[in-house]
Amino acid sequence: MSPDRLSTTFAALADPTRRAILARLALGEAPVTALAQPFAMSLPAVSKHLKVLERAGLIARGRDAQWRPCRLHAEPLKDAAEWLEHYRGFWEDSFDRLEDHLRGLQRTRKRRGRKQR
Amino acid sequence: MSPDRLSTTFAALADPTRRAILARLALGEAPVTALAQPFAMSLPAVSKHLKVLERAGLIARGRDAQWRPCRLHAEPLKDAAEWLEHYRGFWEDSFDRLEDHLRGLQRTRKRRGRKQR
């Protein structure tokens, strides 16, 4: 996968409306009108978001000119998830350190509690 | 986590140079000059990318005015990975379907091969 493809995927995900559209499509295919409904947004505004998602290969649209339903196309998300996976060790490490720190604080408090009794 | 935080993370990742900087920092902290070296890029251009990463909370910079080293800060990536995780079923499904399809093609070829013998 070229770096540009991954950039296009991440850029498409960098918007709450587009992520909400993908979440809706995870429930099943839908026409543009149904996708526009939950957002206080015009059809052209929603269409713009759909174009970004389509260019990123995250949705596919039916050919029926009247009812072009949108379908989720999740493959590009796989590469994004794989890229992120390389960093799992780092965020798990820092959460471990936070946990150790909080346990340390708890022990200090217990010791202080005993002294005050 | 607010949707905007997630958007900021994805937007920061939507650039090959910024992802390469994060990959470099995964090996250990580094000063800006060392980060600029592998890219045919001016220091101000690299600094711009670092600012995007810093605003997204993906890097932290040391306080030493002379040698402000950059450090990877992976926590925001955890939320991005969790968001993507919801869609794992979809990309695995479609790869399963592709595998089934390829197996079907293989079987057809074998059958044809036998007929031709």
Side-chain angles (χ1 to χ4, degrees), chain A residues 3 7 16 19 23 26 75 87 90 94, chain B residues 3 7 19 23 26 75 87 90 94:
Chain A
S7 296
R19 291 196 305 277
E75 280 79 355
Y87 296 85
F90 291 94
S94 51
Chain B
S7 296
R19 291 197 305 278
E75 280 78 355
Y87 296 86
F90 291 94
S94 51

Side-chain angles (χ1 to χ4, degrees), chain B residues 49-68:
Chain B
H49 283 306
L50 292 177
K51 261 178 209 155
V52 176
L53 291 170
E54 203 175 3
R55 252 179 274 139
L58 287 164
I59 64 166
R61 302 185 69 177
R63 279 183 197 155
D64 182 337
Q66 283 263 298
W67 188 71
R68 305 190 57 199

